[in-house]
Amino acid sequence: MDVVTLMAIGLLTGATTVLFGFGGGFVAVPVVVWADAALGTAALPVATATSALVMVVNAAFATAVTPRSVLLALRGTGALLPLLAVGAAAGAYASRFAPAALARWAFVAYVALTALDLLLRPGFLRPATRTGRAPERDPRPLPATAGAPIGAVAAFLGVGGSVMTVPAMRRAGHPMRVATALANPLTLAVALPAVAVSLAGSPPPAVPASGTGLVGMVDPYAAGALLLGALPVIAVLRRRPPRIPDRVHACAYLALLAVVALAMALTPA
């Protein structure tokens, strides 16, 4: 996969960072698996580590250009951020020892089940009947106890965390524009320790000792090309965010989950 193609896909990761809070993880993992298919069974752990690096940069930049008034909605989360980081470090370390097939199909299964849950259970596409309140009213902070499991699963699968935090914040009473914006600082808390573990580690045993171009378990060529495409898009969309009706925004999030699960299922083994 050449640099132009990776940069073009980077444009998509930038858009998903702003519009859906993904940070690039959902898009980057299948793409890097395709780009590094020559690595065989090592392609998925390399893709997960590379995805974490892309997410760190995208999420940090998106957080920096998010209005402070939006970020203030994270008040009251207490120990959530450090617990996300602790869980992410454990998940990233565990991913180094997981069989490639397990990590791949766990990614597909988790994303598919999440999409099904959002479709069927009240609180995401439609208000929960027990509250009877509009999503914008009386938002609640995420419980700190959710931090460690969210971080561990997100780092192990390389999905960043938005697949869990956006639905959770949506059900806590936030509109999609706020839930997706807040996913970026939460993704940063997940991705930073995951990147540290990945850069410090050695390449997977299936990768030849030389000539791979990897830094630890990260493919810097793929990461750099994706970021070259993503960062300008983040800057533009944060400055001039599109006006998307809340329900349409939620439906688009759900549709993208389904597309990513299918893309990962179809990647070469």
Side-chain angles (χ1 to χ4, degrees), residues 18 31 33 50 59 88 93 98 132 136 144 163-164 171 178 182 213 246 248 268:
V18 174
V31 167
V33 168
T50 304
Y93 184 76
E136 294 85 356
V163 67
M164 290 168 273
R171 289 189 168 116
V178 174
L182 295 181
D246 192 69
V248 173

Side-chain angles (χ1 to χ4, degrees), residues 8-158:
I9 295 169
L11 297 176
L12 179 59
T13 71
T16 61
T17 297
V18 174
L19 298 180
F20 304 108
F22 286 166
F26 278 111
V27 180
V29 170
V31 167
V32 179
V33 168
W34 278 95
D36 287 331
L39 297 178
T41 58
L44 184 57
V46 168
T48 301
T50 304
S51 165
L53 178 59
V54 172
M55 285 188 290
V56 163
V57 180
N58 282 349
F61 186 56
T63 299
V65 295
T66 296
R68 187 171 180 270
S69 59
V70 174
L71 295 177
L72 286 175
L74 285 176
R75 288 182 301 182
T77 54
L80 178 64
L81 292 178
L83 286 175
L84 280 170
V86 170
Y93 184 76
S95 70
R96 297 178 58 191
F97 305 100
L102 171 63
R104 176 187 179 185
W105 290 110
F107 182 107
V108 173
Y110 188 84
V111 175
L113 288 173
T114 298
L116 190 62
D117 174 71
L118 299 184
L119 180 64
L120 298 179
R121 192 157 62 99
F124 188 80
L125 292 179
R126 59 191 186 280
T129 55
R130 68 177 184 273
T131 65
R133 291 181 294 190
E136 294 85 356
R137 297 177 184 172
D138 195 24
R140 304 177 301 279
L142 294 184
T145 53
I150 287 175
V153 173
F156 182 83
L157 300 179

